[in-house]
Amino acid sequence: MLFPEEARMDEGLYEKHEKDYERSFIRGSRKKENVAYTIHVIYENDEITEDIDTNLFLLSSKAYADYDGEYKKMKGDKVTIYFAKNEQHTSINGKQDVVYKFFAYIKSNHSHQAVQFIYTIGCDDINKKCHIDIGKEEERAKMLMHSIKFQD
């Protein structure tokens, strides 16, 4: 997977179990734009990855994407990506904020490997003006998703 230049892995939230499971949080910000983002990645190599409906249900849960809707299926030669997006409106100390999520279940077509991928972006400091170009952020998220390669 490509790694954004300004991002850093949150080592306190990194987890690995042998070669079958790995979870990491990547955090980054673009100060000039006053935006901050996280990328939550969960890798699995197990037969359970074949149960697409269950894995999409888990990805959609409040703990992850907090999503109730359909996924767009993009089938390639090596992987199939189930993609969706949403936005969440919050209020912090009376200030309104919007957080955008672009997420996918990325499944290898040739093995039991898969990745849950959640790209979340919002204003870094809600007391300052920020503009998030949703189209560009969706393209950035998809570019990162498509950069994931599995070793079969």
Side-chain angles (χ1 to χ4, degrees):
M1 178 181 120
L2 292 175
F3 198 93
E5 184 178 345
E6 68 279 349
R8 301 290 174 258
M9 188 176 298
D10 189 330
E11 293 180 24
L13 296 174
Y14 177 78
E15 180 180 1
K16 184 175 181 180
H17 300 280
E18 300 188 14
K19 294 180 180 183
D20 298 335
Y21 180 88
E22 189 171 1
R23 182 173 85 160
S24 63
F25 280 88
I26 300 165
R27 299 182 190 278
S29 64
R30 297 191 303 272
K31 296 292 183 192
K32 289 181 183 177
E33 299 171 52
N34 187 34
V35 296
Y37 61 88
T38 60
I39 303 169
H40 183 189
V41 180
I42 300 173
Y43 165 81
E44 287 185 287
N45 186 5
D46 194 295
E47 288 182 18
I48 191 67
T49 64
E50 303 302 325
D51 188 345
I52 302 301
D53 289 338
T54 297
N55 283 289
L56 291 179
F57 175 79
L58 292 171
L59 179 59
S60 297
S61 71
K62 285 195 180 296
Y64 294 105
D66 194 12
Y67 178 69
D68 183 22
E70 298 295 317
Y71 285 81
K72 178 182 178 186
K73 182 177 178 179
M74 299 176 276
K75 186 165 176 67
D77 292 337
K78 296 186 179 193
V79 300
T80 300
I81 298 176
Y82 300 86
F83 174 82
K85 60 186 175 182
N86 69 5
E87 62 182 64
Q88 297 169 340
H89 297 264
T90 61
S91 179
I92 302 171
N93 297 329
K95 300 265 186 181
Q96 297 298 315
D97 193 23
V98 180
V99 174
Y100 301 94
K101 288 187 179 185
F102 305 94
F103 45 96
Y105 188 68
I106 304 162
K107 175 70 182 81
S108 169
N109 294 337
H110 305 290
S111 71
H112 295 306
Q113 298 176 88
V115 167
Q116 288 183 17
F117 182 101
I118 304 166
Y119 178 90
T120 305
I121 188 161
C123 294
D124 191 22
D125 181 348
I126 64 169
N127 294 311
K128 296 179 182 176
K129 185 175 171 93
C130 90
H131 173 72
I132 298 172
D133 184 326
I134 300 166
K136 280 187 179 179
E137 294 305 328
E138 180 174 338
E139 289 306 311
R140 186 176 313 221
K142 285 180 176 177
M143 182 264 307
L144 292 170
M145 291 171 188
H146 284 283
S147 77
I148 293 174
K149 306 286 186 241
F150 297 104
Q151 294 181 349
D152 294 325

